[in-house]
Each structure stands twice: as C-alpha cells, then as structure tokens.
Amino acid sequence: MPVIKIDLPKISKEQKKEIIKTVSKAISEITGIPEQFNTVIISENLDENIGIGSKTLEEVKESLNKK
C-alpha cells in the first residue's frame, strides 16, 4: 500500500502528528485506499545537512535572521 516519505528539517512532535494525519487523509481521499493502509515516514535532517543553492539551510536561516 502507499508509502509516503517526507524529508524535513527538525520539527516538533505535534507538527509530525499533523503532517501524518493530513497526508494520510489526502492520500486516502485521492486514491480511495483507507487511511489505515498508508505509511508515512518522516526523516529529519539537520539544517547543516540540507543545501539550498550553494549554502546550507543553516546559513540561509542565519542570513534571513539578520534582515
């Protein structure tokens, strides 16, 4: 059945629950497959391990905070 993999920066437990709930519901509505057969896997990545353009996400956030 559906396996949905999501890569994100570190998020709270509450945010993970909301993502799992929302994604499972949407997949079920679109495919007609009951929610209990969906698997959602959230992988958290440190900001220093995510690159946007030529900078790490950590650097991007730092530059935005300076503005």
Side-chain angles (χ1 to χ4, degrees), residues 13-40:
K13 191 174 187 177
E14 292 76 26
Q15 289 172 311
K16 290 176 199 172
K17 287 180 181 181
E18 185 63 29
I19 288 170
I20 291 168
K21 178 180 171 184
T22 303
V23 169
S24 291
K25 182 178 178 186
I27 292 295
S28 181
E29 289 173 356
I30 293 166
T31 64
I33 298 170
E35 287 184 43
Q36 64 264 29
F37 296 112
N38 295 326
T39 300
V40 179

Side-chain angles (χ1 to χ4, degrees), residues 42-58:
I42 297 175
S43 298
E44 291 183 314
N45 298 291
L46 298 174
D47 289 352
E48 64 192 42
N49 295 336
I50 300 171
I52 299 175
S54 60
K55 296 182 180 181
T56 65
L57 181 56
E58 183 177 52

